[in-house]
């Protein structure tokens, strides 16, 4: 009978204490003191009537959960955000009564008292809202379901909600982040209704000065349930999500707030939704509940698989811990109401060969087994589902080392089992047999320099034949074979040389023999240090050798750039001194052998060598023809000097033009009324490429009359008006009509380019705008209004009205038909 035991090792994920209450669709919030608050959620799979008002606190130091004050109202699928003063705001969510509509209530948790208090009522009930903390300390509340267009602003000082503008359309499953300039980017989402599950390329900006929303660029990939995170340079990484109800994506893109554009970035290894968490080392973790986690390094722009959770966590809550490198996942699961929790540290991802050997065989008698664990320093490992017939003294270990366990004798009814020591599989087999395991007594033996006779006892099965082989030349076997129990007898002659060790095979097992030298005090020399490190300049070092007074020794493996200045050879203990020459190249090291012991000397690369390379992020900019500006980052070692010179007259550096170490370079450009122009900004060892688009004169901006139910055929050409609402980088044709507030109008622009429409009143205020007509697969049509057939001219607006026909992308030209309709009277 063979027993198979599957074992695995993944030091990145480690189980921790369970939640006090199994829950899903709950919130998780990292508090200012490093603890984590979990609140609300459902306690029965997919059943909002089971929502709870309980809350609990996770302590990262003790890795335990403890109860805290309960919410005033049970809720699930709510939003939670930590306020600037350390309190936690919880808003909306689903009620516990069918049909589980959204809640309008809000509550605030005070960590100092562990209690909740009511925090006003939202203007709109929201079932699955998104809450974004602004730099001002206020909170922008968006969404709730696809029918909700309104947004609102929560003021922690007054505990009140106020209007924050209206979205162009109701959205759900979008992502939103606060930008450094105080604006909020909303990306993607799904319109719901008959098109639920369809991802959008929509990108909107909320402006605190205007207290409203406007379009900003178009994402390169339609996506819903995407993840977004603001990078260190102020740009926004948008990753994953799903394009349709059945197709998810692995693509990522980066939004630049300075240009309002999106650029393609490296794809993740797996497609799907998740969340992004920034780590202290500057990397970003993509957390998913059903696929491996991935880690993104902005400097390289690459993703890597970081490991996997030990358990399923569907609708669980994931939060970063205060150490900046560990994330906590709690709750959720395959039944969506689990209580398991685990910690994930991507720096503890498995090393090559994390466990060895990969197979261990035991006979029916069982015995002791050892697995060698190889994990990064400071990382933990553990196992799960240990069967009753295997015992181990430890459940959790730290750092690399042996994992010892004992396999019991094979018993009737035992079946195979799977043990997880977190991702590498190890097979342990146990075969039913009546033979006795072979045992050597002693397991090894040591002799003095005088030699002598040794005896090894062998205990094995009565019918097991055995022999002795591979003995070193200085060991003579006197008797070394037999069947069943027996002995091996051997002798060692006197040793006139240095300490020697060897081994031989007895009945298939290794037996070690050690014999001292004639001067045992010379057998174990020691060095005061295992090595030394030097800067790139010249230097000197020393190391003390301790050995017997009559012990001779020498030094070998000395590199050409190191000179032994004292103690190259000698007898007895000594202080060895050496000098290293200045290093003009790459870092270097050498390992000296001193009396058989190792001493490693390393020397840093020279400053000139280190400063040969440098990195600019981004490597180039393409700017509009307007007077504008931007910035880029130079990354070089702190000892490297740099300067900027030989710039064209249209470029001005507004930050320092010389310095040392990494820096942010800021520049401005004069307006360009001529053709496109390009220059390279050479800075230190790197170069930044700068392009400014050509400019055009405003052209003819006079509006041509258009009548109701008329179609105008036209062409957008270079030289057309560049003073339109879209900006100076866009060509615009204008048309005017007379009407009164309350009239119904419909405006359609069908174009050979990516169309964009504006409708303005007499004062120039924008009444409506439209980017893409959703019914146009090629996105070349635009229609006002975007979601219905007719637009009612608003009260307070006055004619004549102006229609601006333009493009979605800068500099586009081509033919178009402008159709201006009014419903039949």
């Amino acid at each position: 009978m063979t027993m198979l035991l599957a074992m695995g090792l993944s030091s990145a994920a480690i189980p921790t204490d369970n939640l006090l209450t199994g829950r899903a669709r709950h919130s998780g919030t990292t508090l200012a003191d490093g603890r984590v608050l979990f609140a609300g959620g459902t306690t029965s799979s997919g059943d909002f009537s089971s929502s709870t008002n309980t809350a609990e606190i996770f302590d990262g130091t003790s890795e335990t959960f403890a109860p805290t004050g309960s919410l005033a109202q049970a809720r699930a699928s709510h939003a939670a955000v930590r306020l600037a003063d350390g309190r936690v705001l919880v808003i909306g969510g689903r009620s516990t009564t069918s049909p589980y509509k959204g809640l309008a209530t809000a509550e605030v948790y005070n960590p100092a008292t562990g209690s909740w208090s009511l925090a006003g009522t939202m203007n709109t009930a929201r079932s699955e809202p998104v809450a974004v903390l602004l730099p001002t300390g206020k909170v922008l509340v968006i969404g709730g379901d696809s029918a909700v267009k309104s947004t609102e602003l929560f003021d922690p000082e007054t505990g009140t909600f106020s209007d924050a503008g209206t979205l162009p359309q109701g959205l759900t499953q979008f992502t939103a982040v606060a930008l450094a300039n105080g604006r909020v980017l909303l990306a993607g989402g799904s319109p719901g209704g008959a098109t639920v599950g369809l991802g959008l390329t929509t990108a909107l900006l909320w402006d605190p000065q205007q207290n409203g929303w406007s379009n900003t660029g178009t994402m390169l990939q339609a996506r819903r349930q995407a993840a977004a995170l603001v990078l260190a340079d102020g740009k926004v990484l948008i990753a994953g999500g799903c394009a349709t109800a059945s197709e998810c994506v692995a693509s990522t893109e980066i939004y630049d707030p300075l240009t309002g554009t999106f650029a393609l970035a490296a794809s993740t290894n797996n497609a799907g939704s998740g969340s992004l968490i920034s780590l202290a080392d500057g990397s970003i973790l993509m957390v998913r509940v059903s696929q491996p986690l991935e880690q993104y390094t902005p400097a390289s722009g690459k993703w890597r698989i970081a490991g996997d959770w030990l358990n399923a966590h569907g609708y669980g809550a994931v939060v970063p811990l205060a150490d900046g490198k560990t994330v906590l996942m709690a709750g959720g699961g395959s039944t969506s109401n689990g209580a398991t929790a685990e910690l994930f540290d991507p720096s503890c991802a498995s090393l090559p060969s994390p466990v060895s050997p990969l197979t261990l065989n035991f006979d029916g008698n069982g015995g002791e087994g050892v697995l060698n664990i190889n994990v990064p320093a400071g990382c933990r490992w553990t196992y799960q589902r240990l069967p009753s017939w295997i015992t181990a003294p430890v459940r959790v270990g730290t750092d690399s080392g042996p994992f010892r366990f004992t396999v019991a004798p094979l018993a009737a009814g035992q079946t195979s089992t799977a043990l997880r020591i977190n991702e590498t599989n190890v097979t342990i087999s146990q075969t039913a047999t009546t033979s006795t395991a072979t045992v050597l007594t002693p397991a090894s033996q040591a002799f003095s320099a005088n030699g002598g006779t040794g005896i090894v006892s062998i205990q094995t099965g009565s019918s097991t034949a055995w022999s002795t082989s591979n003995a070193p030349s200085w060991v003579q076997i006197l008797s070394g074979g037999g069947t069943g129990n027996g002995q091996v007898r051997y002798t060692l002659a006197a040793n006139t040389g240095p300490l020697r060790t060897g081994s031989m095979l007895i009945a298939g097992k290794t037996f070690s023999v050690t014999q001292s030298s004639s001067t045992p005090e010379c057998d174990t020399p020691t060095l005061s240090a295992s090595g030394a490190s030097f800067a790139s300049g010249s230097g000197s070092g020393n190391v003390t050798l301790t050995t017997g007074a009559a012990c001779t020794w020498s030094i070998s493996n000395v590199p050409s750039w190191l000179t032994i200045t004292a103690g190259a050879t000698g007898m007895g203990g000594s202080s060895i001194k050496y000098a290293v020459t200045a290093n003009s190249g790459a870092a270097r090291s050498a390992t000296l052998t001193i009396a058989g012991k190792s001493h490693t000397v390393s020397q840093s690369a020279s400053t000139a060598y280190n400063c040969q390379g440098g990195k600019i992020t981004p490597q180039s900019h393409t700017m509009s023809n307007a007077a504008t500006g931007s910035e880029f980052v130079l990354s070089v070692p702190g000892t490297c000097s740099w300067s900027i010179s030989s710039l064209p007259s249209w470029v001005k550096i507004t930050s320092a033009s010389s310095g040392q170490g990494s820096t942010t370079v800021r520049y401005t450009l004069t307006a360009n009324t001529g053709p496109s122009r390009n220059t390279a900004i050479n800075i230190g060892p790197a170069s930044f490429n700068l392009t400014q688009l050509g400019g055009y004169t405003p052209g003819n901006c006079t509006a041509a009359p258009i009548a109701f139910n008329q179609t105008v055929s036209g062409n957008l050409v270079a030289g057309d008006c560049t003073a339109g609402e879209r900006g100076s980088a866009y060509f615009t044709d204008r048309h005017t009509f007379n009407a009164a507030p309350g009239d119904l109008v419909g405006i359609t622009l069908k174009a050979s380019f990516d169309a964009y429409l504006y409708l303005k009143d007499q004062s120039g205020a924008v009444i409506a705008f439209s980017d893409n007509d959703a019914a146009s697969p090629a996105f070349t049509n635009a229609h006002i209004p975007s979601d219905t057939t007719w637009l009612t001219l608003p009260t307070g607006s006055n004619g004549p009205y102006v229609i601006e026909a333009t493009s979605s992308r800068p500099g586009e030209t081509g033919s178009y038909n402008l159709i201006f309709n009014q419903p039949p009277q």
Side-chain angles (χ1 to χ4, degrees):
M1 178 179 180
T2 300
M3 308 298 293
L4 297 179
L5 177 62
M7 309 177 72
L9 179 74
S10 166
S11 54
I14 293 292
T16 189
D17 191 25
N18 284 349
L19 286 161
L20 302 177
T21 300
R23 61 184 80 218
R25 302 177 190 268
H26 51 292
S27 61
T29 310
T30 305
L31 303 179
D33 60 8
R35 297 179 301 157
V36 180
L37 171 69
F38 293 98
T42 59
T43 59
S44 179
S45 177
D47 184 1
F48 286 101
S49 66
S50 71
S51 296
T52 180
N53 67 342
T54 62
E56 48 192 291
I57 294 284
F58 176 80
D59 187 325
T61 302
S62 62
E63 295 187 10
T64 57
F65 289 87
T68 190
S70 295
L71 293 155
Q73 184 172 15
R75 64 183 77 221
S77 295
H78 50 278
V81 62
R82 191 179 87 195
L83 302 175
D85 61 8
R87 296 180 300 160
V88 176
L89 171 69
V90 167
I91 58 170
R94 293 191 181 272
S95 68
T96 58
T97 304
S98 180
Y100 313 121
K101 293 185 176 181
L103 300 172
T105 57
E107 304 183 45
V108 169
Y109 176 78
N110 188 337
T113 61
S115 60
W116 297 84
S117 59
L118 295 177
T121 302
M122 293 186 292
N123 300 318
T124 302
R126 303 175 187 271
S127 57
E128 295 181 4
V130 172
V132 180
L133 180 66
L134 304 178
T136 60
K138 296 182 179 180
V139 178
L140 181 65
V141 182
I142 318 168
D145 60 53
S146 59
V148 177
K149 295 183 181 180
S150 67
T151 62
E152 44 194 300
L153 205 60
F154 175 74
D155 188 339
E157 293 186 1
T158 62
T160 57
F161 291 86
S162 59
D163 177 68
T166 302
L167 298 173
Q169 67 179 123
L171 294 172
T172 185
Q173 298 180 340
F174 56 85
T175 184
V177 292
L179 305 179
N181 58 14
R183 296 180 177 181
V184 173
L185 171 69
L186 182 153
S190 175
T195 57
V196 65
L198 176 67
L200 301 175
T201 59
T202 299
L204 302 172
L205 274 182
W206 180 81
D207 190 331
Q209 301 300 321
Q210 303 298 325
N211 196 36
W213 296 86
S214 62
N215 287 337
T216 176
T218 301
M219 286 199 299
L220 305 177
Q221 168 68 58
R223 57 183 89 224
R224 61 179 178 84
Q225 293 182 321
L229 183 74
V230 178
L231 302 176
D233 61 3
K235 297 180 181 179
V236 181
L237 172 65
I238 301 174
C242 297
T244 67
S246 59
E247 178 191 359
C248 293
V249 298
S251 66
T252 71
E253 48 194 293
I254 293 180
Y255 172 76
D256 187 343
L258 293 176
T259 62
T261 58
F262 293 84
L264 190 66
S267 294
T268 58
N269 294 279
N270 295 286
S273 303
S275 57
L276 295 173
I277 293 178
S278 180
L279 303 178
D281 62 3
S283 66
I284 296 167
L285 196 64
M286 177 72 162
V287 180
R288 299 187 178 99
V289 297
S290 60
Q291 291 177 328
L293 289 80
E294 301 190 36
Q295 191 172 14
Y296 175 75
T297 304
S300 66
K302 294 181 179 179
W303 294 88
R304 73 171 185 89
I305 297 294
D308 211 342
W309 297 114
L310 303 175
N311 302 287
H313 290 283
Y315 297 106
V318 61
V319 291
L321 297 188
D323 62 7
K325 67 175 185 174
T326 309
V327 297
L328 169 67
M329 172 69 84
S334 58
T335 59
S336 299
N337 62 337
T340 60
E342 48 191 296
L343 301 170
F344 189 92
D345 182 351
S347 67
C348 289
S350 295
L351 296 173
S353 303
V355 59
S356 63
L358 297 178
T359 59
L360 282 174
N361 302 305
F362 292 84
D363 61 21
N365 294 300
E368 181 178 316
V370 178
L371 294 174
N372 295 312
I373 306 299
N374 181 28
V375 296
C379 294
R380 295 183 296 172
W381 52 268
T382 186
Y383 60 78
Q384 296 176 293
R385 300 192 296 271
L386 191 71
S388 60
W389 47 276
I390 295 181
T391 57
V394 296
R395 176 64 185 273
V396 177
T398 302
D399 295 324
S400 300
F403 168 58
R404 303 184 186 277
F405 60 94
T406 301
V407 176
L410 190 63
Q414 280 186 192
T415 58
S416 62
T417 187
L419 171 67
R420 282 177 64 88
I421 304 184
N422 307 353
E423 258 166 16
T424 300
N425 291 324
V426 177
T427 301
I428 297 178
S429 62
Q430 187 176 21
T431 305
T433 177
T434 57
S435 64
T436 303
T438 300
V439 178
L440 304 183
T441 306
S444 62
Q445 201 161 4
F447 293 84
S448 69
N450 297 324
T453 300
I455 299 175
V456 183
S457 297
I458 297 93
Q459 181 182 354
T460 188
S462 59
S463 60
T464 302
W466 54 271
S467 62
T468 302
S469 61
N470 298 341
S473 59
W474 43 275
V475 175
Q476 181 182 2
I477 303 300
L478 302 179
S479 61
T483 300
N485 296 338
Q487 288 184 336
V488 172
R489 300 181 71 251
Y490 62 94
T491 63
L492 278 71
N495 183 16
T496 59
L499 172 76
R500 56 190 181 185
T501 60
S503 62
M504 51 188 166
L505 287 176
I506 302 176
K509 292 185 174 294
T510 299
F511 181 82
S512 299
V513 181
T514 302
Q515 187 177 23
S516 299
S517 68
S518 57
T519 53
E521 68 274 14
C522 300
D523 291 346
T524 55
T526 60
L527 296 177
S528 60
S530 60
S533 298
F534 294 88
S536 59
S538 59
S540 60
N542 66 84
V543 60
T544 300
L545 168 67
T546 301
T547 188
C551 301
T552 58
W553 51 268
S554 62
I555 303 175
S556 60
N557 300 328
V558 179
S560 59
W561 47 274
L562 186 149
T563 302
I564 304 297
T565 57
T569 59
M571 178 181 292
S574 177
S575 177
I576 300 157
K577 299 180 179 180
Y578 56 87
V580 295
T581 61
N583 184 14
S584 61
R588 58 191 180 185
S589 66
T591 300
L592 311 182
T593 301
I594 304 173
K597 297 295 181 180
S598 296
H599 181 76
T600 300
V601 179
S602 60
Q603 189 175 26
S604 302
S606 67
T607 299
Y609 181 87
N610 282 332
C611 294
Q612 289 178 356
K615 182 176 181 181
I616 284 181
T617 307
Q619 296 179 336
S620 64
H621 275 164
T622 298
M623 308 298 288
S624 71
N625 63 307
T628 184
S630 189
E631 62 186 39
F632 59 87
V633 176
L634 171 68
S635 300
V636 294
T639 56
C640 298
S641 299
W642 53 267
S643 63
I644 303 172
S645 59
S646 303
L647 292 176
S649 60
W650 51 276
V651 180
K652 180 181 179 181
I653 302 299
T654 58
S655 58
S657 59
S658 63
Q660 190 175 62
S662 298
T663 187
T664 297
V665 178
R666 299 178 179 87
Y667 65 87
T668 59
L669 309 179
T670 61
N672 184 15
T673 58
S676 295
R677 52 193 181 187
N678 176 269
T679 189
I681 300 178
N682 296 313
I683 174 171
S687 181
F688 176 77
N689 190 53
L690 179 61
T691 300
Q692 187 179 28
L693 299 176
Y696 300 94
T697 58
N700 183 12
C701 294
T702 303
I706 188 171
F708 284 116
N709 301 317
Q710 179 184 356
T711 297
V712 174
S713 297
N715 286 284
L716 208 60
V717 298
D720 278 351
C721 177
T722 55
E725 185 69 21
R726 192 75 176 139
S728 61
Y730 302 80
F731 302 117
T732 300
D733 281 354
R734 286 177 166 172
H735 303 269
T736 184
F737 66 93
N738 285 305
D743 286 350
L744 299 177
V745 297
I747 308 168
T748 301
L749 178 62
K750 296 184 177 181
S752 62
F753 47 86
D754 192 348
Y756 206 108
L757 271 175
Y758 287 96
L759 176 61
K760 297 182 175 181
D761 65 11
Q762 186 182 40
S763 69
V766 175
I767 298 173
F769 65 92
S770 175
D771 183 0
N772 296 320
D773 186 338
S776 173
F779 299 108
T780 56
N781 294 355
H783 180 72
I784 292 178
S786 60
D787 55 350
T788 60
T789 304
W790 305 107
L791 172 71
T792 302
L793 295 176
T795 301
S797 66
N798 295 298
Y801 297 90
V802 174
I803 301 170
E804 290 189 350
T806 183
S807 62
S808 181
R809 299 185 180 91
E812 283 192 308
T813 59
S815 60
Y816 66 83
N817 286 327
L818 179 64
I819 304 165
F820 180 50
N821 289 325
Q822 187 177 39
Q825 299 298 321

